[in-house]
Amino acid sequence: MNKQSPILIIGAGSIGERHINNLIQLGYTNIHVFRQRNLPLRNVDSACVQIHTDWEVVKNIEFVFAIICTPSSQHLAQTISCLDLNMHVLVEKPLSHNTNQLELLTEKVKLSGKLVYVAYMMRFHPHLIVVKNSITSNAYGKLLSIQTHWGSYLPDWHPYEDYTTSYAAQKALGGGVALTLSHDIDVVNWLSGDAIKTVHKHFSYAPHLGIDVESVADFQIVYENDVVANVHLNYLEKTPKRVYQFLFDKAKITIDYFAATMEIDNMGIITKNEISDFDRNNLFKDELAFFINTIQSGELTTLSMSQIAESHTIINLCNHELKHFRSG
């Protein structure tokens, strides 16, 4: 693959435009965008991309990979369509809003040997990588518990649009705070390092927002290794808050996402770290670089299957019909 290879972006909302600009910065020059409506691009020079609204045209171009940036309810079908056209796929989270076609996707991955990677970019956050390495090296003893809190005010997300029409606000499009902010569910599953044993969860609604999806979600997850995670997500906080706390045998690590700070309390010895001029976009760049490098590295099926299994767990966790469940 070279930087003149054709690349496909499906959907050009805010996240689609972010990926387009990052590809341009990386030197890719043959970027195509498939859109259901050919609306003006807000933050991308239209001269840098080719726009298509007819999928039949897309089918006649040999794209190396696709990045799927549409509403959640469209992700899985579009991923399968791209695999059928021999593309690798980076799909924005969540992989889907239900598990209906995950078996079909699994079959497609096995047959194609292509990479399917779900874009949970928090795995590339420098502070969370430190936590992951601390767990792996047993630097502070056993990880005992994780607490996360992420709240922000949905109407403030995209001031240029009516929030009630966004995918995050509509059940039919796979919205709701649990799936939309499922980055933090992925974080605790990733860092716990084991299968889920039990889950207790609660969803609540905010009628004043005028949306048909949950606006608050709370999860208590117990893993087979007895790590306990408490995850809180909401659409309601007008002053955004996003914090993580990790309790070990010998230490406590606290991360403030918006302040870009990490504090390690190691048996009373406090170490503080701040990422100066933290740029959230670097997480997306690092994720994209990882995806591209992985494509070029060889064996892809094992990683793809792991991504599907992890997504299956997240989708089940966010399923409104299940109040409690045990893995396996």
Side-chain angles (χ1 to χ4, degrees), residues 222-250:
V222 181
Y223 296 89
E224 295 287 355
N225 57 9
D226 292 326
V227 173
V228 179
N230 289 278
V231 177
H232 173 81
L233 307 167
N234 77 70
Y235 279 162
L236 305 176
E237 287 187 66
K238 294 185 179 181
T239 301
K241 176 181 177 182
R242 193 172 184 184
V243 295
Y244 303 85
Q245 189 173 92
F246 305 90
L247 181 63
F248 294 82
D249 280 328
K250 302 175 184 178

mmCIF file of all heavy atoms in Angstrom, residues 222-250:
data_model
loop_
_atom_site.group_PDB
_atom_site.id
_atom_site.type_symbol
_atom_site.label_atom_id
_atom_site.label_comp_id
_atom_site.label_asym_id
_atom_site.label_seq_id
_atom_site.Cartn_x
_atom_site.Cartn_y
_atom_site.Cartn_z
ATOM 1 N N VAL A 222 -18.254 -6.936 37.433
ATOM 2 C CA VAL A 222 -17.299 -7.745 38.181
ATOM 3 C C VAL A 222 -16.691 -8.757 37.215
ATOM 4 O O VAL A 222 -17.411 -9.469 36.503
ATOM 5 C CB VAL A 222 -17.960 -8.475 39.366
ATOM 6 C CG1 VAL A 222 -16.921 -9.297 40.138
ATOM 7 C CG2 VAL A 222 -18.647 -7.482 40.291
ATOM 8 N N TYR A 223 -15.360 -8.796 37.187
ATOM 9 C CA TYR A 223 -14.654 -9.672 36.267
ATOM 10 C C TYR A 223 -14.242 -10.965 36.968
ATOM 11 O O TYR A 223 -14.251 -11.059 38.204
ATOM 12 C CB TYR A 223 -13.437 -8.938 35.690
ATOM 13 C CG TYR A 223 -13.841 -7.735 34.861
ATOM 14 C CD1 TYR A 223 -13.996 -6.481 35.454
ATOM 15 C CD2 TYR A 223 -14.119 -7.858 33.510
ATOM 16 C CE1 TYR A 223 -14.394 -5.385 34.703
ATOM 17 C CE2 TYR A 223 -14.520 -6.769 32.750
ATOM 18 C CZ TYR A 223 -14.659 -5.538 33.359
ATOM 19 O OH TYR A 223 -15.066 -4.451 32.613
ATOM 20 N N GLU A 224 -13.865 -11.956 36.185
ATOM 21 C CA GLU A 224 -13.496 -13.257 36.748
ATOM 22 C C GLU A 224 -12.287 -13.169 37.681
ATOM 23 O O GLU A 224 -12.148 -13.991 38.588
ATOM 24 C CB GLU A 224 -13.210 -14.263 35.616
ATOM 25 C CG GLU A 224 -14.421 -14.612 34.751
ATOM 26 C CD GLU A 224 -15.419 -15.520 35.460
ATOM 27 O OE1 GLU A 224 -15.126 -15.963 36.585
ATOM 28 O OE2 GLU A 224 -16.485 -15.779 34.881
ATOM 29 N N ASN A 225 -11.439 -12.174 37.484
ATOM 30 C CA ASN A 225 -10.291 -11.983 38.370
ATOM 31 C C ASN A 225 -10.627 -11.103 39.579
ATOM 32 O O ASN A 225 -9.736 -10.653 40.292
ATOM 33 C CB ASN A 225 -9.104 -11.403 37.602
ATOM 34 C CG ASN A 225 -9.437 -10.076 36.919
ATOM 35 O OD1 ASN A 225 -10.496 -9.492 37.140
ATOM 36 N ND2 ASN A 225 -8.515 -9.610 36.096
ATOM 37 N N ASP A 226 -11.938 -10.831 39.754
ATOM 38 C CA ASP A 226 -12.485 -10.071 40.887
ATOM 39 C C ASP A 226 -12.198 -8.580 40.830
ATOM 40 O O ASP A 226 -12.461 -7.865 41.811
ATOM 41 C CB ASP A 226 -12.014 -10.642 42.229
ATOM 42 C CG ASP A 226 -12.601 -12.023 42.504
ATOM 43 O OD1 ASP A 226 -13.761 -12.256 42.090
ATOM 44 O OD2 ASP A 226 -11.906 -12.861 43.094
ATOM 45 N N VAL A 227 -11.681 -8.074 39.729
ATOM 46 C CA VAL A 227 -11.651 -6.623 39.544
ATOM 47 C C VAL A 227 -13.096 -6.134 39.438
ATOM 48 O O VAL A 227 -13.921 -6.738 38.750
ATOM 49 C CB VAL A 227 -10.867 -6.247 38.275
ATOM 50 C CG1 VAL A 227 -10.994 -4.749 37.991
ATOM 51 C CG2 VAL A 227 -9.403 -6.630 38.415
ATOM 52 N N VAL A 228 -13.392 -5.029 40.134
ATOM 53 C CA VAL A 228 -14.728 -4.428 40.094
ATOM 54 C C VAL A 228 -14.637 -3.075 39.390
ATOM 55 O O VAL A 228 -13.782 -2.248 39.746
ATOM 56 C CB VAL A 228 -15.301 -4.234 41.509
ATOM 57 C CG1 VAL A 228 -16.683 -3.581 41.434
ATOM 58 C CG2 VAL A 228 -15.376 -5.563 42.247
ATOM 59 N N ALA A 229 -15.487 -2.858 38.388
ATOM 60 C CA ALA A 229 -15.506 -1.587 37.669
ATOM 61 C C ALA A 229 -16.872 -0.933 37.809
ATOM 62 O O ALA A 229 -17.903 -1.595 37.652
ATOM 63 C CB ALA A 229 -15.179 -1.801 36.195
ATOM 64 N N ASN A 230 -16.875 0.347 38.125
ATOM 65 C CA ASN A 230 -18.091 1.151 38.153
ATOM 66 C C ASN A 230 -17.970 2.231 37.081
ATOM 67 O O ASN A 230 -17.036 3.042 37.115
ATOM 68 C CB ASN A 230 -18.293 1.789 39.521
ATOM 69 C CG ASN A 230 -18.684 0.772 40.574
ATOM 70 O OD1 ASN A 230 -19.840 0.395 40.689
ATOM 71 N ND2 ASN A 230 -17.701 0.316 41.345
ATOM 72 N N VAL A 231 -18.893 2.217 36.132
ATOM 73 C CA VAL A 231 -18.859 3.146 34.999
ATOM 74 C C VAL A 231 -20.120 3.998 35.027
ATOM 75 O O VAL A 231 -21.238 3.466 35.054
ATOM 76 C CB VAL A 231 -18.779 2.382 33.661
ATOM 77 C CG1 VAL A 231 -18.820 3.354 32.487
ATOM 78 C CG2 VAL A 231 -17.526 1.515 33.608
ATOM 79 N N HIS A 232 -19.940 5.315 35.021
ATOM 80 C CA HIS A 232 -21.074 6.248 34.956
ATOM 81 C C HIS A 232 -20.956 7.084 33.686
ATOM 82 O O HIS A 232 -19.896 7.662 33.403
ATOM 83 C CB HIS A 232 -21.097 7.180 36.171
ATOM 84 C CG HIS A 232 -22.135 8.262 36.049
ATOM 85 N ND1 HIS A 232 -23.467 8.050 36.344
ATOM 86 C CD2 HIS A 232 -22.050 9.549 35.623
ATOM 87 C CE1 HIS A 232 -24.151 9.153 36.127
ATOM 88 N NE2 HIS A 232 -23.310 10.082 35.678
ATOM 89 N N LEU A 233 -22.057 7.173 32.929
ATOM 90 C CA LEU A 233 -22.122 7.936 31.694
ATOM 91 C C LEU A 233 -23.371 8.800 31.702
ATOM 92 O O LEU A 233 -24.440 8.337 32.121
ATOM 93 C CB LEU A 233 -22.170 7.000 30.479
ATOM 94 C CG LEU A 233 -21.072 5.925 30.378
ATOM 95 C CD1 LEU A 233 -21.444 4.894 29.320
ATOM 96 C CD2 LEU A 233 -19.730 6.565 30.063
ATOM 97 N N ASN A 234 -23.271 10.052 31.253
ATOM 98 C CA ASN A 234 -24.483 10.865 31.160
ATOM 99 C C ASN A 234 -24.378 11.934 30.077
ATOM 100 O O ASN A 234 -23.285 12.354 29.699
ATOM 101 C CB ASN A 234 -24.842 11.486 32.518
ATOM 102 C CG ASN A 234 -23.985 12.670 32.895
ATOM 103 O OD1 ASN A 234 -24.083 13.746 32.305
ATOM 104 N ND2 ASN A 234 -23.123 12.498 33.906
ATOM 105 N N TYR A 235 -25.555 12.366 29.614
ATOM 106 C CA TYR A 235 -25.692 13.425 28.618
ATOM 107 C C TYR A 235 -26.030 14.773 29.269
ATOM 108 O O TYR A 235 -26.449 15.691 28.556
ATOM 109 C CB TYR A 235 -26.874 13.099 27.687
ATOM 110 C CG TYR A 235 -26.633 12.127 26.565
ATOM 111 C CD1 TYR A 235 -27.737 11.516 25.947
ATOM 112 C CD2 TYR A 235 -25.374 11.832 26.061
ATOM 113 C CE1 TYR A 235 -27.583 10.643 24.883
ATOM 114 C CE2 TYR A 235 -25.216 10.949 25.006
ATOM 115 C CZ TYR A 235 -26.320 10.354 24.416
ATOM 116 O OH TYR A 235 -26.173 9.476 23.354
ATOM 117 N N LEU A 236 -25.906 14.925 30.568
ATOM 118 C CA LEU A 236 -26.565 16.006 31.290
ATOM 119 C C LEU A 236 -25.647 17.061 31.895
ATOM 120 O O LEU A 236 -26.120 18.144 32.247
ATOM 121 C CB LEU A 236 -27.435 15.411 32.411
ATOM 122 C CG LEU A 236 -28.467 14.374 31.963
ATOM 123 C CD1 LEU A 236 -29.193 13.796 33.177
ATOM 124 C CD2 LEU A 236 -29.457 14.984 30.989
ATOM 125 N N GLU A 237 -24.363 16.796 32.026
ATOM 126 C CA GLU A 237 -23.481 17.725 32.736
ATOM 127 C C GLU A 237 -23.058 18.882 31.830
ATOM 128 O O GLU A 237 -22.367 18.695 30.842
ATOM 129 C CB GLU A 237 -22.244 16.998 33.266
ATOM 130 C CG GLU A 237 -22.552 16.113 34.454
ATOM 131 C CD GLU A 237 -21.298 15.527 35.087
ATOM 132 O OE1 GLU A 237 -20.493 16.303 35.635
ATOM 133 O OE2 GLU A 237 -21.152 14.300 35.034
ATOM 134 N N LYS A 238 -23.470 20.092 32.209
ATOM 135 C CA LYS A 238 -23.147 21.263 31.395
ATOM 136 C C LYS A 238 -21.690 21.675 31.529
ATOM 137 O O LYS A 238 -21.142 22.341 30.650
ATOM 138 C CB LYS A 238 -24.090 22.405 31.743
ATOM 139 C CG LYS A 238 -25.539 22.094 31.360
ATOM 140 C CD LYS A 238 -26.479 23.258 31.579
ATOM 141 C CE LYS A 238 -27.895 22.879 31.157
ATOM 142 N NZ LYS A 238 -28.852 24.000 31.335
ATOM 143 N N THR A 239 -21.071 21.310 32.647
ATOM 144 C CA THR A 239 -19.623 21.436 32.773
ATOM 145 C C THR A 239 -19.056 20.030 32.610
ATOM 146 O O THR A 239 -19.176 19.202 33.511
ATOM 147 C CB THR A 239 -19.218 22.006 34.138
ATOM 148 O OG1 THR A 239 -19.807 23.293 34.308
ATOM 149 C CG2 THR A 239 -17.697 22.122 34.236
ATOM 150 N N PRO A 240 -18.461 19.718 31.464
ATOM 151 C CA PRO A 240 -18.040 18.342 31.200
ATOM 152 C C PRO A 240 -17.068 17.826 32.253
ATOM 153 O O PRO A 240 -16.200 18.549 32.747
ATOM 154 C CB PRO A 240 -17.361 18.441 29.830
ATOM 155 C CG PRO A 240 -17.977 19.638 29.193
ATOM 156 C CD PRO A 240 -18.206 20.602 30.314
ATOM 157 N N LYS A 241 -17.231 16.541 32.575
ATOM 158 C CA LYS A 241 -16.353 15.892 33.544
ATOM 159 C C LYS A 241 -16.022 14.499 33.021
ATOM 160 O O LYS A 241 -16.912 13.754 32.606
ATOM 161 C CB LYS A 241 -17.049 15.781 34.902
ATOM 162 C CG LYS A 241 -16.245 15.017 35.962
ATOM 163 C CD LYS A 241 -17.024 14.924 37.280
ATOM 164 C CE LYS A 241 -16.281 14.107 38.319
ATOM 165 N NZ LYS A 241 -17.043 13.981 39.586
ATOM 166 N N ARG A 242 -14.723 14.167 33.067
ATOM 167 C CA ARG A 242 -14.305 12.840 32.624
ATOM 168 C C ARG A 242 -13.078 12.435 33.433
ATOM 169 O O ARG A 242 -11.986 12.961 33.228
ATOM 170 C CB ARG A 242 -13.976 12.849 31.129
ATOM 171 C CG ARG A 242 -13.848 11.461 30.523
ATOM 172 C CD ARG A 242 -13.725 11.550 29.020
ATOM 173 N NE ARG A 242 -13.704 10.224 28.417
ATOM 174 C CZ ARG A 242 -13.522 9.985 27.111
ATOM 175 N NH1 ARG A 242 -13.349 10.993 26.280
ATOM 176 N NH2 ARG A 242 -13.524 8.746 26.652
ATOM 177 N N VAL A 243 -13.278 11.507 34.364
ATOM 178 C CA VAL A 243 -12.202 11.096 35.259
ATOM 179 C C VAL A 243 -12.171 9.574 35.377
ATOM 180 O O VAL A 243 -13.192 8.903 35.228
ATOM 181 C CB VAL A 243 -12.343 11.726 36.663
ATOM 182 C CG1 VAL A 243 -12.181 13.228 36.600
ATOM 183 C CG2 VAL A 243 -13.667 11.348 37.296
ATOM 184 N N TYR A 244 -10.965 9.071 35.678
ATOM 185 C CA TYR A 244 -10.737 7.640 35.856
ATOM 186 C C TYR A 244 -9.942 7.454 37.146
ATOM 187 O O TYR A 244 -8.999 8.190 37.415
ATOM 188 C CB TYR A 244 -9.929 7.066 34.694
ATOM 189 C CG TYR A 244 -10.533 7.277 33.331
ATOM 190 C CD1 TYR A 244 -10.309 8.463 32.642
ATOM 191 C CD2 TYR A 244 -11.330 6.299 32.745
ATOM 192 C CE1 TYR A 244 -10.876 8.674 31.390
ATOM 193 C CE2 TYR A 244 -11.894 6.500 31.498
ATOM 194 C CZ TYR A 244 -11.666 7.692 30.822
ATOM 195 O OH TYR A 244 -12.232 7.885 29.589
ATOM 196 N N GLN A 245 -10.321 6.425 37.916
ATOM 197 C CA GLN A 245 -9.563 6.106 39.122
ATOM 198 C C GLN A 245 -9.316 4.604 39.172
ATOM 199 O O GLN A 245 -10.242 3.804 39.006
ATOM 200 C CB GLN A 245 -10.317 6.549 40.370
ATOM 201 C CG GLN A 245 -9.484 6.437 41.645
ATOM 202 C CD GLN A 245 -10.208 7.050 42.837
ATOM 203 O OE1 GLN A 245 -10.925 6.353 43.547
ATOM 204 N NE2 GLN A 245 -10.028 8.342 43.034
ATOM 205 N N PHE A 246 -8.057 4.244 39.401
ATOM 206 C CA PHE A 246 -7.643 2.848 39.434
ATOM 207 C C PHE A 246 -7.019 2.568 40.797
ATOM 208 O O PHE A 246 -6.046 3.216 41.183
ATOM 209 C CB PHE A 246 -6.622 2.570 38.327
ATOM 210 C CG PHE A 246 -7.109 2.940 36.958
ATOM 211 C CD1 PHE A 246 -6.883 4.214 36.453
ATOM 212 C CD2 PHE A 246 -7.818 2.035 36.193
ATOM 213 C CE1 PHE A 246 -7.346 4.576 35.197
ATOM 214 C CE2 PHE A 246 -8.293 2.382 34.935
ATOM 215 C CZ PHE A 246 -8.056 3.655 34.438
ATOM 216 N N LEU A 247 -7.586 1.604 41.511
ATOM 217 C CA LEU A 247 -7.085 1.238 42.833
ATOM 218 C C LEU A 247 -6.327 -0.077 42.734
ATOM 219 O O LEU A 247 -6.869 -1.090 42.287
ATOM 220 C CB LEU A 247 -8.233 1.104 43.827
ATOM 221 C CG LEU A 247 -7.845 0.753 45.270
ATOM 222 C CD1 LEU A 247 -6.993 1.861 45.881
ATOM 223 C CD2 LEU A 247 -9.105 0.508 46.103
ATOM 224 N N PHE A 248 -5.053 -0.048 43.162
ATOM 225 C CA PHE A 248 -4.194 -1.225 43.193
ATOM 226 C C PHE A 248 -3.912 -1.605 44.655
ATOM 227 O O PHE A 248 -4.221 -0.848 45.571
ATOM 228 C CB PHE A 248 -2.856 -0.933 42.503
ATOM 229 C CG PHE A 248 -2.946 -0.664 41.031
ATOM 230 C CD1 PHE A 248 -3.292 0.600 40.562
ATOM 231 C CD2 PHE A 248 -2.652 -1.656 40.107
ATOM 232 C CE1 PHE A 248 -3.345 0.866 39.203
ATOM 233 C CE2 PHE A 248 -2.702 -1.398 38.749
ATOM 234 C CZ PHE A 248 -3.061 -0.135 38.290
ATOM 235 N N ASP A 249 -3.271 -2.748 44.861
ATOM 236 C CA ASP A 249 -2.824 -3.133 46.202
ATOM 237 C C ASP A 249 -1.985 -2.042 46.850
ATOM 238 O O ASP A 249 -2.115 -1.749 48.039
ATOM 239 C CB ASP A 249 -1.976 -4.412 46.135
ATOM 240 C CG ASP A 249 -2.830 -5.673 46.037
ATOM 241 O OD1 ASP A 249 -3.934 -5.691 46.592
ATOM 242 O OD2 ASP A 249 -2.360 -6.634 45.403
ATOM 243 N N LYS A 250 -1.083 -1.439 46.072
ATOM 244 C CA LYS A 250 -0.090 -0.533 46.638
ATOM 245 C C LYS A 250 -0.224 0.914 46.158
ATOM 246 O O LYS A 250 0.579 1.756 46.572
ATOM 247 C CB LYS A 250 1.314 -1.028 46.292
ATOM 248 C CG LYS A 250 1.625 -2.435 46.776
ATOM 249 C CD LYS A 250 2.989 -2.879 46.285
ATOM 250 C CE LYS A 250 3.283 -4.327 46.684
ATOM 251 N NZ LYS A 250 4.601 -4.778 46.150
#
